[in-house]
Structures are given as C-alpha cells and as structure tokens.
Amino acid sequence: MNTQKFLVSGIIGGIVSFFAGYLIYGIALMDFFAKNGGADSGVMRPQDQMIWWSLILGSLFQGLLFSYIFNRWASITTLSAGATAGAVLGLLIMAAHDFIMYATTNITNLTATIVDIIAGAVLGAIVGAAVGLANGMGTKKAA
C-alpha cells in the first residue's frame, strides 16, 4: 500500500467528511433530529458547546478508514467506484452502530434511527467519492 496516497486521500476524505457532515447533520437534518429524540433529553450539544477537536478528529478517522479500505483491499481509484463503495460502507457502519444504539439507549426513536442510517449512506457516498477520486489522481491510464 502506498502510504502517501493513503494519507493524502484519507486527509481529503476527512475534510470532506467534516464539511459534508455539517451540511447533512448540522443544517439539513438538525431540526429533524431535535424533534425525533428518544426519551433522553438534552443529549445534543448546542453548537457553541461543540467539542471541535473531537469532531474534526472523528471526521479525519472516517476519511482514513475509507482510504485504508480503498487502498489496501479494493484499489478504488475513481469517483463513481468510491461513491458506490462509500455508500455501502456508510450504510453498513451506520446500521450496525445505530441499531445497537437504538436497542441500548433512549437517544433517538426508530424513525431517527432509520433516517440516520440513510444519512450515513449518503455521507459515506460523498466521502467515498472524494477518497476514490483522490486515489486516482496521478494514476496513469492504459492507452
């Protein structure tokens, strides 16, 4: 595995994860999730109380995870292949996490759980597309 390609595409994926996650969760779905919480209340931090270093680190790790998988096992080097693989990864990761959280906590209701899985697949597709595209940069194509 090319370490430089892994790091560069992972960092690009992390940056895309941060901004796309903000658009999806911080803008488009913010009110939806506020209205579809579970029995627990007050679990969402207001924006002025966000722990930014942790949010940035989590986004970076998402990009690095996709980059590692794409570079190590899948050789994904195009936007479309990255988007497809990213959507599948996002769906599976979020479904595993969200259904376990739904079973064990009172943070969200079932509707929000399903929407979060779909949002995770969309975010995964966007991050995967960026990582796949970054992986393909500088790659010579056969004539």
Side-chain angles (χ1 to χ4, degrees), residues 18-31 33 44 47 50 52 55:
F18 179 81
F19 287 107
Y22 174 72
L23 291 174
I24 293 169
Y25 290 102
I27 295 176
L29 295 174
M30 184 172 58
D31 291 339
F33 282 117
M44 298 299 293
Q47 192 164 6
M50 291 278 183
W52 291 101
L55 185 58

mmCIF file of all heavy atoms in Angstrom, residues 18-31 33 44 47 50 52 55:
data_model
loop_
_atom_site.group_PDB
_atom_site.id
_atom_site.type_symbol
_atom_site.label_atom_id
_atom_site.label_comp_id
_atom_site.label_asym_id
_atom_site.label_seq_id
_atom_site.Cartn_x
_atom_site.Cartn_y
_atom_site.Cartn_z
ATOM 1 N N PHE A 18 -15.993 16.235 7.241
ATOM 2 C CA PHE A 18 -16.316 17.316 8.167
ATOM 3 C C PHE A 18 -17.347 18.268 7.560
ATOM 4 O O PHE A 18 -18.382 18.560 8.173
ATOM 5 C CB PHE A 18 -15.048 18.077 8.551
ATOM 6 C CG PHE A 18 -15.290 19.222 9.490
ATOM 7 C CD1 PHE A 18 -15.427 18.997 10.846
ATOM 8 C CD2 PHE A 18 -15.395 20.522 9.012
ATOM 9 C CE1 PHE A 18 -15.654 20.053 11.721
ATOM 10 C CE2 PHE A 18 -15.620 21.578 9.878
ATOM 11 C CZ PHE A 18 -15.757 21.339 11.237
ATOM 12 N N PHE A 19 -17.089 18.745 6.350
ATOM 13 C CA PHE A 19 -17.983 19.737 5.744
ATOM 14 C C PHE A 19 -19.296 19.120 5.265
ATOM 15 O O PHE A 19 -20.369 19.713 5.454
ATOM 16 C CB PHE A 19 -17.270 20.494 4.627
ATOM 17 C CG PHE A 19 -16.250 21.462 5.159
ATOM 18 C CD1 PHE A 19 -14.898 21.202 5.032
ATOM 19 C CD2 PHE A 19 -16.641 22.618 5.825
ATOM 20 C CE1 PHE A 19 -13.950 22.078 5.547
ATOM 21 C CE2 PHE A 19 -15.706 23.505 6.347
ATOM 22 C CZ PHE A 19 -14.351 23.231 6.210
ATOM 23 N N ALA A 20 -19.249 17.928 4.671
ATOM 24 C CA ALA A 20 -20.489 17.279 4.236
ATOM 25 C C ALA A 20 -21.327 16.870 5.449
ATOM 26 O O ALA A 20 -22.557 16.981 5.424
ATOM 27 C CB ALA A 20 -20.173 16.070 3.358
ATOM 28 N N GLY A 21 -20.667 16.414 6.503
ATOM 29 C CA GLY A 21 -21.388 16.082 7.730
ATOM 30 C C GLY A 21 -22.084 17.289 8.324
ATOM 31 O O GLY A 21 -23.218 17.203 8.809
ATOM 32 N N TYR A 22 -21.422 18.445 8.269
ATOM 33 C CA TYR A 22 -22.042 19.676 8.755
ATOM 34 C C TYR A 22 -23.279 20.015 7.921
ATOM 35 O O TYR A 22 -24.333 20.365 8.471
ATOM 36 C CB TYR A 22 -21.050 20.845 8.726
ATOM 37 C CG TYR A 22 -21.689 22.157 9.095
ATOM 38 C CD1 TYR A 22 -22.065 22.415 10.410
ATOM 39 C CD2 TYR A 22 -21.950 23.120 8.126
ATOM 40 C CE1 TYR A 22 -22.686 23.616 10.755
ATOM 41 C CE2 TYR A 22 -22.561 24.318 8.472
ATOM 42 C CZ TYR A 22 -22.926 24.556 9.779
ATOM 43 O OH TYR A 22 -23.546 25.739 10.108
ATOM 44 N N LEU A 23 -23.173 19.892 6.594
ATOM 45 C CA LEU A 23 -24.320 20.196 5.737
ATOM 46 C C LEU A 23 -25.482 19.230 5.980
ATOM 47 O O LEU A 23 -26.640 19.650 6.054
ATOM 48 C CB LEU A 23 -23.902 20.155 4.259
ATOM 49 C CG LEU A 23 -22.969 21.263 3.798
ATOM 50 C CD1 LEU A 23 -22.526 21.013 2.359
ATOM 51 C CD2 LEU A 23 -23.634 22.628 3.924
ATOM 52 N N ILE A 24 -25.153 17.939 6.120
ATOM 53 C CA ILE A 24 -26.209 16.938 6.296
ATOM 54 C C ILE A 24 -26.804 17.003 7.698
ATOM 55 O O ILE A 24 -28.020 17.100 7.867
ATOM 56 C CB ILE A 24 -25.665 15.526 5.999
ATOM 57 C CG1 ILE A 24 -25.325 15.395 4.505
ATOM 58 C CG2 ILE A 24 -26.672 14.446 6.418
ATOM 59 C CD1 ILE A 24 -24.535 14.145 4.146
ATOM 60 N N TYR A 25 -25.937 16.923 8.713
ATOM 61 C CA TYR A 25 -26.422 16.835 10.091
ATOM 62 C C TYR A 25 -26.606 18.195 10.758
ATOM 63 O O TYR A 25 -27.542 18.368 11.537
ATOM 64 C CB TYR A 25 -25.469 15.978 10.936
ATOM 65 C CG TYR A 25 -25.519 14.522 10.574
ATOM 66 C CD1 TYR A 25 -24.534 13.942 9.790
ATOM 67 C CD2 TYR A 25 -26.560 13.719 11.019
ATOM 68 C CE1 TYR A 25 -24.586 12.603 9.450
ATOM 69 C CE2 TYR A 25 -26.621 12.376 10.682
ATOM 70 C CZ TYR A 25 -25.630 11.823 9.904
ATOM 71 O OH TYR A 25 -25.692 10.498 9.568
ATOM 72 N N GLY A 26 -25.729 19.130 10.471
ATOM 73 C CA GLY A 26 -25.780 20.421 11.138
ATOM 74 C C GLY A 26 -26.769 21.388 10.535
ATOM 75 O O GLY A 26 -27.190 22.347 11.189
ATOM 76 N N ILE A 27 -27.138 21.172 9.280
ATOM 77 C CA ILE A 27 -28.091 22.077 8.628
ATOM 78 C C ILE A 27 -29.356 21.331 8.198
ATOM 79 O O ILE A 27 -30.446 21.607 8.686
ATOM 80 C CB ILE A 27 -27.436 22.806 7.426
ATOM 81 C CG1 ILE A 27 -26.314 23.727 7.923
ATOM 82 C CG2 ILE A 27 -28.479 23.596 6.639
ATOM 83 C CD1 ILE A 27 -25.538 24.424 6.831
ATOM 84 N N ALA A 28 -29.212 20.366 7.286
ATOM 85 C CA ALA A 28 -30.384 19.721 6.686
ATOM 86 C C ALA A 28 -31.218 18.918 7.687
ATOM 87 O O ALA A 28 -32.448 18.961 7.642
ATOM 88 C CB ALA A 28 -29.946 18.824 5.531
ATOM 89 N N LEU A 29 -30.581 18.193 8.594
ATOM 90 C CA LEU A 29 -31.329 17.298 9.488
ATOM 91 C C LEU A 29 -31.357 17.737 10.948
ATOM 92 O O LEU A 29 -31.893 17.013 11.797
ATOM 93 C CB LEU A 29 -30.743 15.880 9.395
ATOM 94 C CG LEU A 29 -30.885 15.189 8.040
ATOM 95 C CD1 LEU A 29 -30.146 13.857 8.035
ATOM 96 C CD2 LEU A 29 -32.354 14.993 7.689
ATOM 97 N N MET A 30 -30.813 18.890 11.248
ATOM 98 C CA MET A 30 -30.714 19.324 12.646
ATOM 99 C C MET A 30 -32.092 19.381 13.318
ATOM 100 O O MET A 30 -32.291 18.820 14.392
ATOM 101 C CB MET A 30 -30.020 20.675 12.750
ATOM 102 C CG MET A 30 -29.821 21.124 14.192
ATOM 103 S SD MET A 30 -28.806 22.601 14.357
ATOM 104 C CE MET A 30 -29.715 23.781 13.388
ATOM 105 N N ASP A 31 -33.045 20.036 12.702
ATOM 106 C CA ASP A 31 -34.374 20.158 13.291
ATOM 107 C C ASP A 31 -35.078 18.801 13.356
ATOM 108 O O ASP A 31 -35.780 18.505 14.329
ATOM 109 C CB ASP A 31 -35.229 21.151 12.507
ATOM 110 C CG ASP A 31 -34.740 22.579 12.657
ATOM 111 O OD1 ASP A 31 -34.021 22.874 13.645
ATOM 112 O OD2 ASP A 31 -35.055 23.401 11.776
ATOM 113 N N PHE A 33 -33.725 15.799 13.764
ATOM 114 C CA PHE A 33 -33.217 15.014 14.884
ATOM 115 C C PHE A 33 -33.626 15.616 16.226
ATOM 116 O O PHE A 33 -33.864 14.878 17.187
ATOM 117 C CB PHE A 33 -31.700 14.830 14.791
ATOM 118 C CG PHE A 33 -31.303 13.771 13.807
ATOM 119 C CD1 PHE A 33 -30.560 14.093 12.687
ATOM 120 C CD2 PHE A 33 -31.674 12.446 13.991
ATOM 121 C CE1 PHE A 33 -30.201 13.120 11.772
ATOM 122 C CE2 PHE A 33 -31.325 11.463 13.081
ATOM 123 C CZ PHE A 33 -30.588 11.795 11.966
ATOM 124 N N MET A 44 -28.053 16.435 22.904
ATOM 125 C CA MET A 44 -27.366 17.134 21.815
ATOM 126 C C MET A 44 -26.740 18.417 22.355
ATOM 127 O O MET A 44 -27.395 19.189 23.043
ATOM 128 C CB MET A 44 -28.354 17.485 20.693
ATOM 129 C CG MET A 44 -28.995 16.284 20.033
ATOM 130 S SD MET A 44 -27.835 15.164 19.242
ATOM 131 C CE MET A 44 -27.250 16.188 17.926
ATOM 132 N N GLN A 47 -24.425 24.274 19.336
ATOM 133 C CA GLN A 47 -23.243 24.490 18.503
ATOM 134 C C GLN A 47 -22.129 25.225 19.255
ATOM 135 O O GLN A 47 -20.953 24.934 19.060
ATOM 136 C CB GLN A 47 -23.601 25.234 17.222
ATOM 137 C CG GLN A 47 -22.472 25.202 16.221
ATOM 138 C CD GLN A 47 -22.917 25.585 14.837
ATOM 139 O OE1 GLN A 47 -24.039 25.989 14.610
ATOM 140 N NE2 GLN A 47 -22.026 25.449 13.891
ATOM 141 N N MET A 50 -19.958 22.668 21.162
ATOM 142 C CA MET A 50 -19.342 21.542 20.451
ATOM 143 C C MET A 50 -17.877 21.405 20.856
ATOM 144 O O MET A 50 -17.200 22.397 21.111
ATOM 145 C CB MET A 50 -19.400 21.752 18.937
ATOM 146 C CG MET A 50 -20.766 21.677 18.356
ATOM 147 S SD MET A 50 -21.218 19.964 18.113
ATOM 148 C CE MET A 50 -22.789 20.185 17.345
ATOM 149 N N TRP A 52 -14.886 20.796 19.200
ATOM 150 C CA TRP A 52 -14.459 20.829 17.802
ATOM 151 C C TRP A 52 -13.299 19.890 17.508
ATOM 152 O O TRP A 52 -13.275 19.253 16.454
ATOM 153 C CB TRP A 52 -14.150 22.266 17.379
ATOM 154 C CG TRP A 52 -15.413 23.069 17.309
ATOM 155 C CD1 TRP A 52 -15.872 23.954 18.239
ATOM 156 C CD2 TRP A 52 -16.417 22.992 16.295
ATOM 157 N NE1 TRP A 52 -17.098 24.452 17.858
ATOM 158 C CE2 TRP A 52 -17.458 23.878 16.660
ATOM 159 C CE3 TRP A 52 -16.545 22.272 15.109
ATOM 160 C CZ2 TRP A 52 -18.597 24.056 15.900
ATOM 161 C CZ3 TRP A 52 -17.673 22.470 14.345
ATOM 162 C CH2 TRP A 52 -18.687 23.352 14.733
ATOM 163 N N LEU A 55 -14.719 16.465 16.963
ATOM 164 C CA LEU A 55 -15.476 16.380 15.714
ATOM 165 C C LEU A 55 -14.526 16.312 14.518
ATOM 166 O O LEU A 55 -14.710 15.497 13.603
ATOM 167 C CB LEU A 55 -16.417 17.578 15.592
ATOM 168 C CG LEU A 55 -17.362 17.594 14.404
ATOM 169 C CD1 LEU A 55 -18.252 16.364 14.387
ATOM 170 C CD2 LEU A 55 -18.209 18.858 14.437
#
